[in-house]
Amino acid sequence: MKRAVPVVALSIAGLIPVWRYEPATAGTTSVTAEPATTPSVATTGASGTVVKGTTITTDKGPVQVQVTFSGDRISAVRMLQQPNHPQTTAAVPVLIAETLKAQSADIDTVSGATITSDGYKESLQAAIDAKG
């Protein structure tokens, strides 16, 4: 009997966090473009054509890329705007590397940074389309 009281008390103490747990709301995450921002060709020079993608507003914050083209090839991608979030910071180099490898916006989403990845791909596609 001396052991039963501590076992019951510790069991209840262990279950309290489970009872208090609140899962994230089951709402949908949306990625929408701001209507006022359109892709634009910034410059054409020795390094190639530089195009800014559309600014995409996500639940985590705005996402915008700048793409440098050498001829028809993507030679560089730079994030102009990105959410201030650790997962985004870790995902950006992966997204850029995948873009340079694929030479298109048809890249995989980075696990843990789905919202940012979707915004990145949409802004990247807008820049590619603006290049024509």
Side-chain angles (χ1 to χ4, degrees), residues 61-132:
V63 176
Q64 184 181 25
V65 299
Q66 176 178 297
V67 183
T68 303
F69 293 92
S70 293
D72 289 335
R73 295 193 50 83
I74 298 171
S75 59
V77 180
R78 192 175 127 219
M79 292 292 284
L80 297 178
Q81 296 182 59
Q82 71 184 47
N84 185 16
H85 195 273
Q87 290 170 323
T88 297
T89 305
V92 168
V94 175
L95 292 168
I96 291 173
E98 288 296 315
T99 300
L100 295 174
K101 182 179 171 185
Q103 290 294 304
S104 72
D106 187 22
I107 58 174
D108 290 334
T109 298
V110 175
S111 179
T114 304
I115 293 171
T116 300
S117 296
D118 291 344
Y120 173 91
K121 290 190 287 188
E122 190 172 338
S123 183
L124 177 63
Q125 187 62 57
I128 292 169
D129 292 345
K131 163 73 166 72

Side-chain angles (χ1 to χ4, degrees), residues 13-49:
L15 288 174
I16 289 175
V18 174
W19 291 328
R20 295 187 54 151
Y21 175 74
E22 293 181 28
T25 57
T28 58
T29 57
S30 62
V31 178
T32 57
E34 291 180 359
T37 307
T38 58
S40 62
V41 176
T43 58
T44 302
S47 63
T49 304

